[in-house]
Amino acid sequence: MTSLQRIGVLVAKRLVIILVGISWLLPIESMGQKDPMAEMYIKAELINKNYLKSVKPVFEKKCFDCHSNRPHYPWYHSVPIVKELLDRDIAEGKKHIDMSDDYPFDGHGSAEEDLKVIRDSVAKESMPPMKYLLMHPSSRLTEPERHVVIDWI
């Protein structure tokens, strides 16, 4: 056997040992045990995929001005006192739910709590707040948009 063949056999043996060792460390699905973290990750990925496809466009149009790092400022944002009020409201909105980085959202609650708050807000039509609606009447969710969000949740 040439030295090159011996090196190949040695590498193959080490690779088999490494693969056996890795498979031993991984959880065994055939024993009926499921990895809850893996299931949670798969569920979150599915929720995010559906969010990106159907819900994010609604939120971008109706919610991002106060719940993201990408607000569309109105012309009066440049007025000093108004600017401070708007910036404070946006900071407050993002503290509750920040939709800047897709689902799961950042904020003060867990992903499940955020979904519950969104569902309740949509069902009760409590968002956006009245002071925002006065200047932006088109920011209220339409009936089809409400159904898209509720169906996603």
Side-chain angles (χ1 to χ4, degrees):
M1 198 186 284
T2 67
S3 62
L4 189 57
Q5 289 173 325
R6 276 183 263 169
I7 292 173
V9 169
L10 183 62
V11 168
K13 286 181 181 179
R14 287 186 180 176
L15 186 59
V16 167
I17 291 170
I18 290 170
L19 291 175
V20 168
I22 289 173
S23 67
W24 181 75
L25 292 173
L26 296 176
I28 301 173
E29 292 290 328
S30 63
M31 295 181 77
Q33 295 179 355
K34 295 182 180 179
D35 182 1
M37 291 302 290
E39 287 181 13
M40 187 174 69
Y41 177 78
I42 290 168
K43 184 177 179 180
E45 283 297 309
L46 180 62
I47 291 170
N48 193 44
K49 180 180 176 184
N50 293 334
Y51 166 77
L52 293 172
K53 179 181 174 188
S54 58
V55 179
K56 185 176 182 179
V58 173
F59 284 173
E60 283 177 324
K61 191 167 57 171
K62 305 289 181 142
C63 307
F64 270 36
D65 281 350
C66 295
H67 293 282
S68 81
N69 292 329
R70 299 182 294 276
H72 294 100
Y73 293 112
W75 62 268
Y76 50 85
H77 182 261
S78 59
V79 177
I81 295 173
V82 175
K83 178 184 182 337
E84 293 167 13
L85 292 171
L86 290 174
D87 289 346
R88 187 190 72 215
D89 286 348
I90 291 169
E92 181 71 20
K94 286 173 32 182
K95 185 170 70 173
H96 291 285
I97 294 180
D98 184 350
M99 300 175 174
S100 300
D101 296 322
D102 298 332
Y103 183 83
F105 306 123
D106 291 331
H108 62 71
S110 68
E112 293 81 16
E113 291 169 333
D114 287 345
L115 291 177
K116 182 184 180 316
V117 167
I118 291 169
R119 183 185 62 237
D120 292 347
S121 296
V122 170
K124 295 175 184 174
E125 297 186 50
S126 61
M127 279 285 151
M130 185 55 69
K131 66 181 179 180
Y132 188 79
L133 276 173
L134 291 174
M135 296 298 289
H136 309 276
S138 64
S139 63
R140 185 182 300 272
L141 292 176
T142 64
E143 196 61 31
E145 291 168 335
R146 290 177 71 230
H147 285 291
V148 166
V149 174
I150 295 294
D151 291 346
W152 168 68
I153 295 172

